Every structure is written in C-alpha cells, then in structure tokens.
Amino acid sequence: MRNDIFLGLMVFLSITSAMTAFAQRPGGGRGPGGFDPDEMIKREKQNVFKAIEDLSDDQELLLDGIYDEFSLSFKELRDEMRQTRDFQAMRPKMEALRDEKDGLIKDVLSEDQFVIYEGLMDNRRKQMQENMQRRQDGQGRPPMPTDSIQSQSN
C-alpha cells in the first residue's frame, strides 16, 4: 500500500514537474486584486497540519510534496487561463486538479484524518462561495478571521 502511494505521488510529481518546465513564466505570483495562490495554498497546508494533530513525519513529508506540486500546477492553469481568457473552460481543469490533490491526500491520511481534512475543505469551499456571493451582491469581502481553524477531531 505504501509503495502504491509513493509510486502515485512520484508519477504525479514527475508529470507536473515536466509541465512546469514548459509553462514557467516570469513575474510575481500575485494575481488580480492581490490574490496570491502561493499564500492561499500555504495557508491551506498550515490549516491541515494544525487541524490534524497526529500526522506522522512521513505523512507531513508526503503532504508537503503534494502541496508543492499542487501549487505549481495551479499556477500553470492560472497562467493558461490568463492567456486564453477562457474562464469557463478552466473551471473543469481546476476542479480536476483539486480532485487529484484530494485523492492523493486521501491515500496519505488515515480514514479519521481524512474526515477532518474533508471538513476543512468543505468549510473553505462554503466560505469561498459566500465571498463570491457577497461580491456579486456588491457587499465586498468580509475581513479574514485570525484563526479559521476549528479542530473537528472530536
């Protein structure tokens, strides 16, 4: 089982590394409105590490690799979206990338740990949808709470 996880992670890392080499683009990571995908992904990873208190060193190492590659792949898709301006076509690609990350993380975590992870991601998606709705309603985005993590292990 552990070899299968490692092999899957290595294949994912190899593919995304090759894609990165062809899609590198000069410039900073900040997008429109000061959105920084590196910071978003870094915060997500920190939230996962904080919420799942019983991660082993091996799990942390594997999660670091998954998030590093997810960050690179996310930037590539964002750059492609900027070039093509076809935002509708990018949505399924972004969802597939997120699903791939979630699948790799599911292989690394125990069942109980993955339940905590799913809860974190569900909360994050709900917050994003609420923020999007507020922007559409002209209300803007509320201030970010200083500590948005609530341990869901109990």
Side-chain angles (χ1 to χ4, degrees):
M1 166 95 176
R2 182 162 259 180
N3 287 339
D4 292 340
I5 292 170
F6 183 73
L7 180 61
L9 180 60
M10 292 308 297
V11 168
F12 175 74
L13 294 175
S14 298
I15 291 170
T16 55
S17 294
M19 290 172 46
T20 302
F22 291 109
Q24 287 297 321
R25 183 180 135 162
R30 291 197 181 271
F35 171 72
D36 186 351
D38 285 332
E39 282 300 313
M40 177 194 70
I41 293 167
K42 180 180 173 184
R43 275 193 314 270
E44 179 182 312
K45 182 173 77 169
Q46 288 171 344
N47 289 342
V48 169
F49 281 25
K50 185 175 179 182
I52 305 174
E53 298 172 355
D54 61 342
L55 289 172
S56 70
D57 290 342
D58 287 344
Q59 286 176 313
E60 287 186 15
L61 183 64
L62 289 170
L63 290 173
D64 277 333
I66 291 169
Y67 275 108
D68 289 347
E69 290 303 318
F70 176 71
S71 179
L72 292 172
S73 298
F74 186 89
K75 286 184 218 175
E76 291 169 10
L77 283 176
R78 186 196 63 203
D79 289 345
E80 180 182 332
M81 182 174 51
R82 285 180 178 165
Q83 291 173 358
T84 64
R85 308 302 285 172
D86 188 358
F87 300 105
Q88 295 295 4
M90 294 311 295
R91 183 180 181 114
K93 292 179 182 181
M94 289 287 192
E95 289 173 353
L97 179 62
R98 184 194 68 215
D99 291 346
E100 183 177 8
K101 174 193 63 133
D102 289 347
L104 289 169
I105 289 175
K106 184 176 184 176
D107 289 341
V108 170
L109 299 178
S110 70
E111 287 181 32
D112 291 339
Q113 291 171 328
F114 191 69
V115 168
I116 295 169
Y117 172 80
E118 283 182 311
L120 287 172
M121 296 304 104
D122 287 345
N123 286 339
R124 185 173 151 265
R125 289 179 189 121
K126 286 177 189 173
Q127 287 176 344
M128 289 174 61
Q129 288 174 345
E130 289 170 5
N131 290 341
M132 191 180 309
Q133 186 63 46
R134 278 191 203 94
R135 278 185 288 235
Q136 289 174 352
D137 294 343
Q139 297 175 357
R141 185 174 164 182
M144 292 291 291
T146 55
D147 186 18
S148 62
I149 295 296
Q150 295 178 357
S151 180
Q152 299 177 4
S153 58
N154 292 337

